[in-house]
Amino acid sequence: MAAKTGAAAFMFVLFLVSVTCQAQLSPTFYDTSCPTATSTIRRAIRSAIASDRRMAASLIRLHFHDCFVQGCDASILLDETSSIQSEKTALGNMNSARGYNVIENAKTEVEKICPGVVSCADIIAVAARDASAYVGGPSYAVKLGRRDSTTASRTLANAELPAFFEDLESLISRFQKKGLTARDMVALSGSHTLGQAQCFTFRERIYNHSNVDAGFASTRKRRCPRVGSDSTLAPLDLVTPNSFDNNYFKNLMQNKGLLQSDQVLFNGGSTDSIVSEYSKNPAKFSSDFGSAMIKMGDIGLLTGSSGQNKEDLQCCQLDFLFFFFLQVSLRSSVQT
C-alpha cells in the first residue's frame, strides 16, 4: 500500500513539473527574478524612439518578423555562422529590418541588473508594446517567459514572411497558419500607420495598378521613378506617418494604400467591412491591435527547459521538489 502511495505522489509531482514548466507565460513572470526588467526595457525603448521616431515602427515590425519564423524566439537576432543561416539576410529582412541594436542595448541594460534572467525574445515583445505606447498606440499586457532560440532559418523566413505583392487570400492563409484570424491580420496591418517603405516595394502599384488614387500615385512617383532609386523611402501613411492612429484605414478606403498588400484589405473583398469599421472606430482598432499582438506573441514559444538565455527559477524550484518526492517514493517502496 505504501508503495502505491509513494508511486502516486511521484506521478503527481512529475505531472506538476511538466505542466508548470510548459505553461509558464505570464505578465508577472519576472516579478520575483527581475522586478525592474520591464521598466528598464521601457527606458531603453523610449530613448531610442526619442532619437529616431521611425524606430517605433521598426521595433513593432521586428517582433512580427521574429514571431512568424519559428515562433517568438529571438531567432531573428542571430548572426550568420557556419551552422546558422541568419534570418537577417532573408528577403523580407535584408536591408530592411531595423532595431537590432536597440534590442541589444536594452538587453545590456537588463543584464546589468539581472544577469542571465531575461530572454531576448521577451525583450523584443516588450519593446514592440512600448514602441506602440510611446507613439500613441495601445499599451497591453505582454505575457513573458519565452526562451531564446539557438537556431535560425533563412529558408523559413523567405517562405513564411508575408510579401508586399501578395493578394488577400494568400495573406489570410498565411495568418491562419499562425493561428491568427482575418480580423487579427487587418488589425496587425494597421501598424502600417507607422513607418516607411522602399520604392521597389510600391513601384509596381503606383505605375501599373488601377485601384490607386491618381493624386496619391503622382505624389509617390516624384521620388520613385520607373527605374532606379530602389531604396528611396516613402511613408506608409502619408497623413500622420509618426503617430499611431487609424488614418491607415481611412487611406485604404480612398485607394491610398502604399503597398499592394495594404490595398487588398479594402478592394471589394472579405476584409472591407473590418477596414471600414476601424476607419470609423479608432478605439476598436486600438483594442483589437493589442489583442492581436498578444495572440501573435504566443506563436511557437520556447519555454521551460527549451532554448537558452535565461534562468528558469520556477522549474529549478520544481526540480528540487521532484527529487524530494522521488526519494520519498523510493523509500516507501523499500519499506513494503
Side-chain angles (χ1 to χ4, degrees), residues 62-80:
L62 193 68
H63 183 39
F64 172 74
H65 281 215
D66 181 39
C67 291
F68 259 59
V69 183
Q70 297 190 170
C72 309
D73 60 1
S75 60
I76 195 170
L77 300 181
L78 296 177
D79 292 322
E80 192 90 8

Side-chain angles (χ1 to χ4, degrees), residues 5 14 17 27 43 90 98 103 107 132 146 166 184 218 332:
T5 302
L14 179 61
V17 170
R43 283 194 299 272
R98 304 169 71 240
I103 300 302
K107 174 69 169 174
S132 166
R146 300 168 187 81
E166 290 193 65
D184 293 329
S218 178
S332 299

Side-chain angles (χ1 to χ4, degrees), residues 80-146:
E80 192 90 8
T81 69
S82 58
S83 60
I84 294 177
Q85 289 187 331
S86 178
E87 293 167 23
K88 293 180 179 181
T89 54
L91 296 175
N93 293 327
M94 186 168 56
N95 300 319
S96 174
R98 304 169 71 240
Y100 302 117
N101 62 318
V102 176
I103 300 302
E104 291 173 3
N105 290 341
K107 174 69 169 174
T108 298
E109 293 304 308
V110 172
E111 286 295 299
K112 291 177 182 178
I113 55 173
C114 306
V117 175
V118 182
S119 68
C120 289
D122 280 342
I123 292 175
I124 293 173
V126 172
R129 186 271 310 277
D130 292 344
S132 166
Y134 188 83
V135 294
S139 182
Y140 47 89
V142 178
K143 291 189 285 184
L144 303 168
R146 300 168 187 81

Side-chain angles (χ1 to χ4, degrees), residues 205 212-213 216 236 251-258 263:
R205 171 157 168 72
V212 57
D213 178 83
F216 174 78
L236 289 159
N251 294 338
L252 296 185
M253 295 184 70
Q254 298 172 37
N255 284 334
K256 294 180 180 179
L258 186 62
Q263 194 59 57

Side-chain angles (χ1 to χ4, degrees), residues 253-272:
M253 295 184 70
Q254 298 172 37
N255 284 334
K256 294 180 180 179
L258 186 62
L259 305 178
Q260 176 177 324
S261 56
D262 290 325
Q263 194 59 57
V264 295
L265 302 181
F266 190 84
N267 194 41
S270 60
T271 56
D272 280 18

Side-chain angles (χ1 to χ4, degrees), residues 29-41:
F29 185 84
Y30 296 116
D31 280 8
T32 300
S33 59
C34 190
T36 59
T38 55
S39 60
T40 301
I41 296 168

